[in-house]
Amino acid sequence: MALDFFAGCVGGCSGVLVGHPLDTIKVRLQTQDFRNPVYRGTYHCFRTIVEKESVRGLYKGMSSPLAGVACVNAIIFGVQGNIQRRLSNPDSLHSHFIAGAAAGLSQSWVASPLELAKTRMQIQQGNRPMYRSPLHCLRDVYHREGWRGVFRGQLITVYREVPGYGTYFVSYEAICRALAGEQGSHTLSSASILLAGGSAGCISWVASYPIDVIKSRLQADNRYKGMIDCYKQSYRDEGVRFLSRGLSSTMIRSFPTNAATFAAVAWVMRMAGVSEAPSSSATSDLLTASEFLDEIRRIPLDAISAIPLGSFMSRLDRDMPSVNGEEGEERSRLGRVSSAGSSILSTLGRFSISREVDSVVL
């Protein structure tokens, strides 16, 4: 229903206003040069930004997520709510996960360009920044790199959002049920909603954070050829620790941001007199979870082979400047990789993209 989209818009704006300063700290910690780090930790980064750039430095790039959050969160909560109600067992946690994953996939196409502009605005320092605004950033990237540059990091954004938002919504529902007991989640107090929303945000970030680190580096620096190349170079230079850089500031930011988001959504729904629990009488046109996945599998993927991808990418390359920096010699053995890094590579390996992943930055 349209109310889901409106509630998501209000909730997203609330979350951005609360959490953007800590998001700026997270991005700076993720993208700084490990050989000559500027910041020693979360608090040192916060203090340095305020001393050198004033409080305004913490809100750099906020207009991009604030302008796009209405669209992004409307898609997230709208798609999630509508798909969940169409599943045959909407109350199950499985349905919440599927609906959340579908919402994450739907909004990734909007989120990726917005986050690219936000990331490049946030890492700017000094009195003469390269970009005046997120719109100016996207316009400049398009003029220099074409659409390929604007959607840099799109594929890895999908890899982050699909499991991330599935975990996000299923965690929120599970915590709400634990707090409400037999009374039902519609009876939860505002404090309980804040607790459930904040906790769900932290859980989803822990699940998707290693991928987010690679995404931030890929969008901030053109020296990486793709997400696998970014992972290999970062692991070779810094070891497995790079996958957790900025995690503490993310956890600090995640709780109040997502608490405010879910609280605002719940308040809008309650003010409109809508019960958060799905109606059990709505049985028409319902899909089971397996039927929903079968519909996705019926998409004619063989048609993709008919697309002249080589010709299309050659056109994009005309606008794309050569990537600076050398690829460097790869080690014969990368050594023992962490479970987080291994899961990323194994996930990528299941897709039939093979050589295109490193050569085409999506």
Side-chain angles (χ1 to χ4, degrees):
M1 64 177 67
L3 186 60
D4 291 316
F5 292 91
F6 176 72
C9 171
V10 175
C13 291
S14 302
V16 169
L17 292 173
V18 171
H20 190 79
L22 285 166
D23 184 69
T24 300
I25 295 173
K26 180 205 75 167
V27 171
R28 296 250 180 129
L29 289 173
Q30 284 180 337
T31 57
Q32 68 176 339
D33 187 357
F34 80 99
R35 301 179 188 85
N36 187 26
V38 179
Y39 312 111
R40 297 191 298 270
T42 301
Y43 177 72
H44 180 253
C45 181
F46 170 81
R47 188 178 62 186
T48 303
I49 293 174
V50 172
E51 289 177 352
K52 294 185 176 180
E53 307 172 45
S54 76
V55 177
R56 292 180 59 185
L58 295 171
Y59 288 91
K60 280 186 175 180
M62 190 181 74
S63 59
S64 174
L66 193 59
V69 76
C71 177
V72 169
N73 280 273
I75 294 173
I76 291 172
F77 284 90
V79 171
Q80 191 273 340
N82 282 278
I83 288 183
Q84 179 201 347
R85 282 190 291 271
R86 285 181 59 83
L87 295 174
S88 60
N89 188 12
D91 285 332
S92 70
L93 294 179
H94 187 214
S95 297
H96 282 276
F97 182 87
I98 290 178
L105 175 63
S106 301
Q107 63 87 40
S108 64
W109 307 97
V110 179
S112 181
L114 293 176
E115 292 194 4
L116 181 139
K118 175 182 70 69
T119 298
R120 297 195 179 185
M121 288 287 295
Q122 287 174 323
I123 62 176
Q124 290 187 126
Q125 300 182 42
N127 297 324
R128 301 184 65 181
M130 182 177 180
Y131 306 115
R132 298 187 300 271
S133 67
L135 183 60
H136 176 248
C137 175
L138 289 176
R139 187 185 300 118
D140 181 75
V141 171
Y142 173 75
H143 287 161
R144 290 187 294 107
E145 306 175 31
W147 287 112
R148 180 182 178 185
V150 173
F151 284 94
R152 182 179 177 85
Q154 172 63 48
L155 186 58
I156 196 169
T157 301
V158 172
Y159 290 162
R160 184 194 68 177
E161 303 291 51
V162 171
Y165 276 104
T167 305
Y168 187 50
F169 283 101
V170 77
S171 299
Y172 175 74
E173 181 64 21
I175 295 172
C176 283
R177 293 182 184 184
L179 293 175
E182 299 179 355
Q183 297 179 354
S185 60
H186 62 283
T187 63
L188 284 175
S189 64
S190 297
S192 297
I193 293 174
L194 289 169
L195 176 61
S199 301
C202 292
I203 293 171
S204 66
W205 268 113
V206 169
S208 61
Y209 193 78
I211 301 178
D212 183 69
V213 174
I214 298 174
K215 184 199 73 70
S216 294
R217 295 190 174 199
L218 188 63
Q219 291 184 324
D221 195 339
N222 282 344
R223 70 189 177 94
Y224 301 115
K225 295 181 178 180
M227 52 189 168
I228 292 181
D229 180 57
C230 179
Y231 174 83
K232 287 181 177 179
Q233 288 195 43
S234 299
Y235 179 80
R236 182 182 64 236
D237 294 338
E238 306 173 50
V240 74
R241 293 181 59 186
F242 88 93
L243 291 171
S244 62
R245 291 194 184 278
L247 180 60
S248 59
S249 63
T250 301
M251 292 295 99
I252 296 172
R253 160 188 170 267
S254 180
F255 191 93
T257 298
N258 292 283
T261 298
F262 271 109
V265 170
W267 291 337
V268 169
M269 301 295 282
R270 290 182 180 181
M271 288 175 63
V274 177
S275 173
E276 297 177 58
S279 174
S280 59
S281 61
T283 58
S284 60
D285 297 330
L286 293 178
L287 299 175
T288 64
S290 59
E291 289 173 342
F292 178 78
L293 295 177
D294 288 339
E295 290 294 330
I296 296 177
R297 294 191 188 101
R298 291 192 185 102
I299 298 175
L301 296 179
D302 292 340
I304 297 177
S305 60
I307 300 175
L309 183 60
S311 174
F312 176 70
M313 293 310 302
S314 64
R315 288 174 175 267
L316 291 177
D317 285 337
R318 296 174 186 173
D319 296 329
M320 185 70 175
S322 59
V323 180
N324 294 326
E326 299 179 355
E327 184 178 358
E329 297 182 357
E330 297 182 1
R331 292 181 181 178
S332 58
R333 296 175 60 91
L334 289 177
R336 187 168 59 90
V337 184
S338 70
S339 58
S342 298
S343 63
I344 295 173
L345 292 179
S346 62
T347 301
L348 297 177
R350 286 195 291 270
F351 289 84
S352 60
I353 302 176
S354 64
R355 299 176 183 175
E356 291 293 332
V357 174
D358 269 343
S359 60
V360 179
V361 180
L362 294 174

